[in-house]
Amino acid sequence: MEAIEANNLSKSFGSVTAVNDVSISVKKGSIFGFLGPNGAGKTTVIRLLTGVLTPDTGSIYIGGVNINNDPLAAKMMMGVIPENGTVYGDLTAEQNIIWTAKFYGMDRTTREQRAQEILSQLGLTERKNDLVRTFSKGMRQRISIACAIVPSPPLLFLDEPTSGLDVHSRRLVIDTIHKMNNAGSTIFLTTHNIEEANALCTTISIINKGKIIATDSPEQLKKTYGTTHYVEISFRQSVTEALFKDESISRVERWGDKWRIYTNDPDHVVKYLAQVAERDHLSIISIATSGPSLEEAFLQLTEVA
Amino acid sequence: MDLAIFARSVTLVTEKNMRIYYYKGAVVIFGLLFPFLMFFTFFIGRNLDLTLFFPGFLGMMLFFTASSVGPLITPWEKREKTYERLLSLPVILESIILGDLLSGAIFGIIITLIVWIVSAVFLHLPLANIGLLALALLLGAIAFAALGTLLGSPATDTPSNIMILSSLVRFPLIFVSGIFIPLNQMQGWERVLTFFSPLTYLVDLFYGALNGTAVYPPFLDVLVLVVVILLFIGCAKIIQQRNLVTGN
Ligand SMILES: Nc1ncnc2c1ncn2[C@@H]1O[C@H](COP(=O)(O)OP(=O)(O)O)[C@@H](O)[C@H]1O
Ligand SMILES: [Mg+2]
């Protein structure tokens, strides 16, 4: 049985078709990424899957339970971090967490213990008795996460969990996702950040204009849709683009203090660069090769569609 | 559906509402101060028998207190964006509707009971039937908390719009419900208007329970209030269900 099984979901708002015949199957224990540009329909899909919005057509099974027939049972299995949803500003951090935990039938000792554990894990212990209203955006997002994970849900939904966060909050969010996944939770997240999807997810669905256009592992997506490799090099001495003249080089771009050299034959380019450096007495500070990127695959897919 | 989970969700929504919304300015002003002001404006400077009008005042008190929490909650939560998160918890629409209703009803009962007890002690008010008084309190609180919930149901994230709407609906009702003029002193079209106000039947129950001077038989008042409760809850559910479809 899959953690999420959704078939032929469609949702229109007036004349706008936000979700168009989307089917999703998420394996237990995976980190599933829903990647797409702004307005692609990611949030709408999450809202459908979490029972916040009623689909026009299609069916949704959460852990084998049809959410339409038994929404309470389905929702008992999930924790949700909505894109724009937030916790209660008029309650304290701790009150928000404890109140949420009660919905899942956690007894007093368990929920108190779990709340303290999460508060400390997310660096909120010192502010636990402060009203959430007084918190910064990053801290609010952490409380939102705390509330979603307090019942240790088998399924965790996160809608753009790191967007707009500072580095520290972002790190905490990503660590939490890994921690929850290691503890057995299935993760469903949306993002428009390609690097993040690449780094986090075991499976990615790319959605554009309400339609899923590809679903695969990040590596497989790169392999199928990306072709170009590049070599990145920097020298102690300053050089000009004229240095990189070889038939194996398709394009050269300047990236800060580095040069990015696109090619279909990285092996040949690296050897060529070593030769040039030797010949012109240049010292190399760094050199790295990189395979096809998810960004390339993403651009290709979303431009075609 | 698991009834235990459902009951828990209703309790928790109620708990949250009681903690947050009882202290909001709009609730204190429209729910608490307003009925007092209305009554004293009416009473001061006129040589009226307070005991005679007290059931009407108590009805108005319960009406305003019970109906003032509901309109605020959902629009407020949509604006603050807590509504989205609430919906994703183990709740169904009925949990939210009943939780909103209960928090309004409890607010109404508590305040009205305090007002009644204090007044009874100081003014030596009559009490004809305590069982009927309890029933009136309960049914009135539920009926007008249901009205409050209904008023808070239309799709909006602007609480002030809803407060205006609910004032427009609630304010006229107090003039056609036998509060400032007892029912049996009204005639013709004035009397006919009172038929259509659900508050009439609550005030009449209070007249029966306190002064023993009801115009209608109690079962009729009770029946009307029960029908009104079902109607308000049903409409609130239909509207909120439609909001789940439009996503507003
Ligand atoms: N409640 C709504 N009413 C009307 N249009 C909506 C609503 N929610 C989303 N949309 C539209 O649906 C499309 C998809 O939106 P959304 O799911 O939020 O995209 P994403 O999360 O990928 O940025 C957009 O064109 C958006 O304007
Ligand atoms: Mg979105």
Side-chain angles (χ1 to χ4, degrees):
Chain A
M1 188 178 52
E2 311 287 25
I4 308 172
E5 185 79 55
N7 300 307
N8 311 103
L9 292 179
S10 290
K11 182 75 196 173
S12 298
F13 300 105
S15 60
V16 179
T17 304
V19 174
N20 188 353
D21 197 27
V22 161
S23 296
I24 300 165
S25 172
V26 178
K27 290 218 175 334
K28 277 201 173 134
S30 62
I31 301 185
F32 186 96
F34 219 47
L35 178 65
N38 286 332
K42 305 181 294 293
T43 297
T44 308
V45 168
I46 280 219
R47 294 177 84 201
L48 293 173
L49 296 179
T50 54
V52 170
L53 196 64
T54 317
D56 297 340
T57 62
S59 60
I60 298 165
Y61 292 84
I62 302 292
V65 175
N66 186 326
I67 196 167
N68 191 39
N69 298 344
D70 197 346
L72 285 175
K75 286 170 160 187
M76 285 293 284
M77 289 185 256
M78 52 171 97
V80 183
I81 299 162
E83 181 175 29
N84 299 314
T86 175
V87 300
Y88 291 97
D90 290 311
L91 300 181
T92 69
E94 190 176 25
Q95 283 171 339
N96 268 296
I97 298 174
I98 297 281
W99 178 75
T100 306
K102 289 184 191 166
F103 275 92
Y104 296 85
M106 298 170 80
D107 64 59
R108 181 183 289 267
T109 346
T110 320
R111 67 180 184 242
E112 297 283 347
Q113 216 170 343
R114 176 92 176 124
Q116 301 316 321
E117 176 190 319
I118 291 173
L119 280 164
S120 108
Q121 180 187 326
L122 292 173
L124 292 162
T125 306
E126 278 175 19
R127 301 284 308 267
K128 70 177 183 181
N129 294 321
D130 294 350
L131 293 184
V132 170
R133 197 191 306 139
T134 65
F135 285 12
S136 69
K137 180 175 165 133
M139 286 178 64
R140 271 170 210 244
Q141 180 71 338
R142 280 188 246 165
I143 288 291
S144 188
I145 290 166
C147 289
I149 66 177
V150 71
S152 307
L155 183 54
L156 186 62
F157 288 93
L158 309 96
D159 195 357
E160 310 250 3
T162 59
S163 102
L165 295 188
D166 59 278
V167 190
H168 282 100
S169 297
R170 189 191 188 91
R171 193 68 254 166
L172 268 174
V173 171
I174 290 174
D175 287 348
T176 306
I177 291 173
H178 281 304
K179 206 173 241 170
M180 291 297 291
N181 186 242
N182 290 336
S185 296
T186 306
I187 314 284
F188 184 106
L189 64 90
T190 74
T191 179
H192 63 263
N193 184 322
I194 298 158
E195 276 323 303
E196 194 163 285
N198 186 22
L200 266 171
C201 302
T202 50
T203 308
I204 292 177
S205 264
I206 296 181
I207 181 172
N208 195 29
K209 297 182 182 145
K211 267 192 158 327
I212 289 184
I213 43 186
T215 302
D216 224 321
S217 68
E219 288 312 310
Q220 200 58 42
L221 282 173
K222 293 179 211 170
K223 216 157 140 188
T224 317
Y225 298 98
T227 45
T228 11
H229 299 246
Y230 63 79
V231 179
E232 219 167 54
I233 189 164
S234 66
F235 299 101
R236 192 167 307 285
Q237 297 81 0
S238 65
V239 298
T240 61
E241 200 176 325
L243 190 70
F244 311 108
K245 282 277 172 287
D246 188 79
E247 70 272 17
S248 65
I249 294 173
S250 51
R251 186 158 50 97
V252 177
E253 278 174 8
R254 192 159 194 158
W255 280 70
D257 63 345
K258 295 174 281 292
W259 292 91
R260 191 176 274 191
I261 300 150
Y262 291 87
T263 178
N264 291 322
D265 191 353
D267 170 62
H268 188 271
V269 170
V270 171
K271 286 171 183 159
Y272 165 79
L273 288 171
Q275 243 174 40
V276 171
E278 184 73 47
R279 183 191 72 201
D280 294 357
H281 308 290
L282 298 169
S283 53
I284 297 174
I285 299 176
S286 68
I287 182 163
T289 68
S290 182
S293 67
L294 192 58
E295 179 165 330
E296 193 187 359
F298 178 78
L299 286 176
Q300 211 178 80
L301 279 164
T302 50
E303 266 160 21
V304 168
Chain B
M1 190 180 77
D2 189 331
L3 274 178
I5 300 178
F6 175 67
R8 193 167 64 208
S9 67
V10 174
T11 317
L12 286 166
V13 172
T14 311
E15 178 193 324
K16 177 259 304 171
N17 292 343
M18 291 174 73
R19 279 189 185 194
I20 296 178
Y21 300 100
Y22 282 8
Y23 308 100
K24 294 290 176 212
V27 170
V28 175
I29 293 168
F30 289 102
L32 218 52
L33 297 181
F34 192 73
F36 275 111
L37 282 178
M38 280 306 295
F39 191 71
F40 288 118
T41 313
F42 167 74
F43 207 77
I44 284 168
R46 295 162 76 181
N47 212 356
L48 296 173
D49 178 2
L50 193 60
T51 313
L52 178 66
F53 287 93
F54 194 79
F57 170 55
L58 208 60
M60 180 167 66
M61 197 72 217
L62 183 56
F63 172 65
F64 275 106
T65 45
S67 64
S68 63
V69 183
L72 190 67
I73 302 174
T74 300
W76 187 283
E77 299 216 353
K78 283 181 180 166
R79 189 187 64 187
E80 298 288 307
K81 317 246 185 250
T82 51
Y83 189 69
E84 181 98 6
R85 144 156 260 122
L86 174 63
L87 272 182
S88 71
L89 291 171
V91 298
I92 50 179
L93 264 191
E94 287 83 347
S95 326
I96 298 179
I97 291 173
L98 288 182
D100 290 1
L101 187 155
L102 280 179
S103 52
I106 292 168
F107 186 69
I109 289 175
I110 291 173
I111 303 287
T112 310
L113 256 184
I114 293 173
V115 168
W116 176 66
I117 290 169
V118 171
S119 313
V121 169
F122 285 99
L123 304 174
H124 309 291
L125 296 173
L127 175 59
N129 185 336
I130 192 157
L132 200 58
L133 179 69
L135 187 66
L137 262 177
L138 192 69
L139 279 178
I142 295 175
F144 297 114
L147 173 67
T149 307
L150 172 61
L151 287 169
S153 297
T156 179
D157 56 3
T158 318
S160 56
N161 287 350
I162 291 290
M163 291 328 277
I164 292 168
L165 170 74
S166 59
S167 296
L168 284 177
V169 171
R170 293 187 300 167
F171 194 73
L173 282 188
I174 62 176
F175 297 103
V176 293
S177 303
I179 292 173
F180 303 114
I181 308 168
L183 273 190
N184 49 23
Q185 295 174 20
M186 285 191 195
Q187 263 136 37
W189 62 270
E190 270 190 335
R191 182 67 190 274
V192 171
L193 270 184
T194 65
F195 294 159
F196 299 100
S197 166
L199 183 51
T200 302
Y201 306 92
L202 174 65
V203 169
D204 194 51
L205 267 186
F206 276 133
Y207 267 99
L210 297 174
N211 298 8
T213 57
V215 171
Y216 301 120
F219 83 85
L220 182 72
D221 293 327
V222 169
L223 182 72
V224 172
L225 287 175
V226 168
V227 169
V228 159
I229 289 171
L230 296 177
L231 196 72
F232 287 161
I233 295 179
C235 292
K237 173 151 185 226
I238 290 169
I239 295 175
Q240 297 203 18
Q241 206 142 38
R242 209 185 48 203
N243 295 344
L244 280 196
V245 172
T246 60
N248 292 309

